[in-house]
Amino acid sequence: MSNHKVVCWDCGCDVDDPFTNICPRCGGLLTVKMDLEKVKEKKPTDLAKEPIGVWRYADFLPVDKKHAVSIKEGGTPLYSTKALGAEIGIPDLFVKYEGANPTGSFKDRGMTVGVSHAVELGVPTVGCASTGNTSASLAAYAAKAGLKCAVFLPSGKVAAGKLAQAMFFGAKVLSIDGNFDDALALARKMAEERKIYLLNSINPFRPEGQKSVLFEIMDQLQYDVPDRIILPVGNAANIWAIYKAITELKEVGWIDKMPMLTGIQAEGASPIASAFAAKTNDFVAEENPETIATAIRIGNPISGRKALKAIYDTGGYSTTVTDAEIIAAQKLLGRREGVCVEPASAASVAGAKKLREMGIIDRDEKVVCICTGNGLKDPDTIINNCEPIIKCANSVEAVENILN
Ligand SMILES: *Cc1c(COP(=O)(O)O)cnc(C)c1O
């Protein structure tokens, strides 16, 4: 007996075709409906004997654990960031460091489930469009599963580390004329013609794996629900996945309160923040998104409407930060806490600082910032924004002069 079904998020009808990513009836977004009746008899501590990582939460996943294609994703640290918190006026601040995943971003959480499902379906070739991290992750899991893989990247604009990973794991790396939204349109066309099995986050199985970041945060905080969770929003699947995890934990009775989900966007790519400011349930796509935070350089977020529901339903918030604020927050996290994240991830910290200054976040809130990816993904941005290396003569005296 299957523990789930795929349904249309918009009209609610059952969707039986495993190769479609939109509702055949109304064109709406798809989602997985989990049957959690059996889980209601369990307690969170019942999972404690399972190894840490995404598959610990198999009760909440729509793929049998026996079929898991895994590189030991999840199980990332939750840092109590006292120095950073003191600096920005939120003493009870935590950072969930998703850069510690196998390929260096949270995308691995969704990809382990998405690729395991692709193997269940028996497809030969998987593919995705990507600003970088999705392709790095898919390429790794496709390699592990022995599947062919094609990734569609916007020409230029992909951070060096991400590009290197996709090439390294043996994917066919295709550079598409245009931005991410253009690359995604082409990947979707390929999927419709059944040339690839699409593993963008429009595929409803990926957010299912991404729910695990919320389950882990709850475990790490011993089910003391934080007041607020802050994360960057690009294509908007992650904030939706976290919301879905919260509603499922409520459904099984493991939590009774919802953290305020707070989505941060870059000023130059902010359809969700704009929709939130206008108090609308839908967003207006932006033509030419631009930001140093390439992972959230997205003008037409696939899961945008789901993200807005997640924000409104939890009493959350959405706002923008500038590229300068992102770089400042990235450095602050490095220099106060020894944690290196990529620019998109630093948007969460920049957002925490801004919303504290605006008075939206209270001083006594328990806040978790999700830092979605590893700083080494984008070494060029770091090198361009740090003090230059110091040319130094080969003598003790010369070094002393510099240190003093
Ligand atoms: C994919 C990604 C995001 C954006 O996540 P969405 O689910 O598209 O909103 C943010 N940060 C990093 C590092 C990412 O790789």
Side-chain angles (χ1 to χ4, degrees), residues 2-8 15-22 29-35 54-55 57-58 60-65 67 69 73 106-121 123 126 134 138 197-212 215 237-238 240-242 244 248 302-303 306:
S2 173
N3 67 352
H4 71 279
K5 59 183 181 175
V6 177
V7 299
C8 175
V15 177
D16 297 323
D17 176 359
F19 295 98
T20 187
N21 286 301
I22 53 169
L29 296 167
L30 305 187
T31 189
V32 171
K33 185 151 182 23
M34 293 299 304
D35 176 358
V54 170
W55 294 92
Y57 309 100
F60 295 88
L61 301 179
V63 174
D64 192 324
K65 191 162 72 170
H67 303 163
V69 177
E73 48 292 318
F106 76 84
K107 298 298 196 302
D108 294 344
R109 295 180 182 274
M111 220 45 99
T112 183
V113 173
V115 170
S116 301
H117 183 60
V119 170
E120 282 184 334
L121 292 173
V123 302
V126 290
T134 300
L138 179 58
Y197 178 72
L198 188 68
L199 275 162
N200 277 96
S201 57
I202 192 171
N203 180 317
F205 285 78
R206 269 196 41 209
E208 292 302 302
Q210 290 174 203
K211 292 185 305 194
S212 60
F215 300 146
N238 209 28
W240 157 252
I242 290 168
K244 192 165 186 288
E248 290 179 1
I302 283 282
S303 301
K306 288 178 171 175

Side-chain angles (χ1 to χ4, degrees), residues 18 48 55 94-95 120 155 173 199 202 218 223 252 299 315 335 352 363 401 403:
W55 294 92
F94 294 82
V95 165
E120 282 184 334
S155 57
V173 180
L199 275 162
I202 192 171
M218 294 312 308
Y223 278 78
V252 298
R335 290 167 192 200
R363 188 179 170 78
N401 278 338
L403 295 185

Side-chain angles (χ1 to χ4, degrees), residues 42-366:
K42 296 190 179 180
K43 311 185 289 303
T45 45
D46 291 337
L47 306 186
K49 54 186 184 302
E50 304 292 330
I52 59 164
V54 170
W55 294 92
R56 165 179 281 200
Y57 309 100
D59 285 338
F60 295 88
L61 301 179
V63 174
D64 192 324
K65 191 162 72 170
K66 290 201 283 286
H67 303 163
V69 177
S70 172
I71 329 175
K72 303 244 186 284
E73 48 292 318
T76 60
L78 181 72
Y79 297 123
S80 169
T81 47
K82 295 276 179 250
L84 177 67
E87 175 110 13
I88 67 177
I90 308 173
D92 211 4
L93 182 71
F94 294 82
V95 165
K96 179 69 170 164
Y97 181 51
E98 290 291 281
N101 274 292
T103 76
S105 85
F106 76 84
K107 298 298 196 302
D108 294 344
R109 295 180 182 274
M111 220 45 99
T112 183
V113 173
V115 170
S116 301
H117 183 60
V119 170
E120 282 184 334
L121 292 173
V123 302
T125 309
V126 290
C128 70
S130 177
T131 62
N133 281 333
T134 300
S135 62
S137 183
L138 179 58
Y141 284 87
K144 180 81 180 176
L147 299 175
K148 279 194 274 192
C149 177
V151 303
F152 301 72
L153 305 180
S155 57
K157 302 284 181 183
V158 175
K162 306 177 188 183
L163 186 61
Q165 286 176 295
M167 294 167 74
F168 177 74
F169 292 122
K172 290 262 185 282
V173 180
L174 312 171
S175 169
I176 306 300
D177 221 6
N179 62 25
F180 168 81
D181 301 302
D182 301 317
L184 179 60
L186 179 57
R188 287 180 71 169
K189 209 179 291 166
M190 290 290 295
E192 272 159 35
E193 295 185 12
R194 303 282 157 87
K195 310 274 193 245
I196 60 169
Y197 178 72
L198 188 68
L199 275 162
N200 277 96
S201 57
I202 192 171
N203 180 317
F205 285 78
R206 269 196 41 209
E208 292 302 302
Q210 290 174 203
K211 292 185 305 194
S212 60
V213 72
L214 186 277
F215 300 146
E216 260 173 34
I217 290 169
M218 294 312 308
D219 269 343
Q220 288 165 317
L221 294 176
Q222 272 117 44
Y223 278 78
D224 179 11
V225 182
D227 297 297
R228 189 184 295 274
I229 295 178
I230 307 180
L231 69 158
V233 172
N235 236 337
N238 209 28
I239 193 165
W240 157 252
I242 290 168
Y243 170 70
K244 192 165 186 288
I246 291 167
T247 59
E248 290 179 1
L249 288 187
K250 275 193 85 181
E251 186 186 336
V252 298
W254 291 7
I255 61 172
D256 53 14
K257 146 184 165 185
M258 303 214 265
M260 294 176 274
L261 290 182
T262 301
I264 308 299
Q265 297 208 286
E267 200 174 59
S270 56
I272 300 303
S274 300
F276 179 79
K279 299 192 170 61
T280 56
N281 295 324
D282 204 351
F283 62 91
V284 180
E286 292 177 4
E287 275 304 317
N288 294 303
E290 202 46 78
T291 168
I292 198 165
T294 50
I296 51 172
R297 186 171 161 266
I298 289 169
N300 189 12
I302 283 282
S303 301
R305 286 184 299 124
K306 288 178 171 175
L308 286 162
K309 178 168 174 57
I311 293 166
Y312 293 131
D313 260 25
T314 59
Y317 204 87
S318 184
T319 191
T320 61
V321 289
T322 64
D323 281 1
E325 288 169 326
I326 287 173
I327 294 300
Q330 185 189 29
K331 280 193 191 169
L332 201 58
L333 192 52
R335 290 167 192 200
R336 293 289 180 279
E337 302 289 345
V339 176
C340 180
V341 305
E342 69 167 279
S345 312
S348 63
V349 174
K353 180 168 185 291
K354 176 178 168 182
L355 293 177
R356 179 71 194 98
E357 284 162 5
M358 286 167 65
I360 303 288
I361 299 180
D362 289 337
R363 188 179 170 78
D364 60 3
E365 281 184 25
K366 186 198 277 289

Side-chain angles (χ1 to χ4, degrees), residues 390-401:
I390 302 160
K391 225 173 142 53
C392 178
N394 186 356
S395 80
V396 169
E397 208 180 24
V399 175
E400 271 191 316
N401 278 338

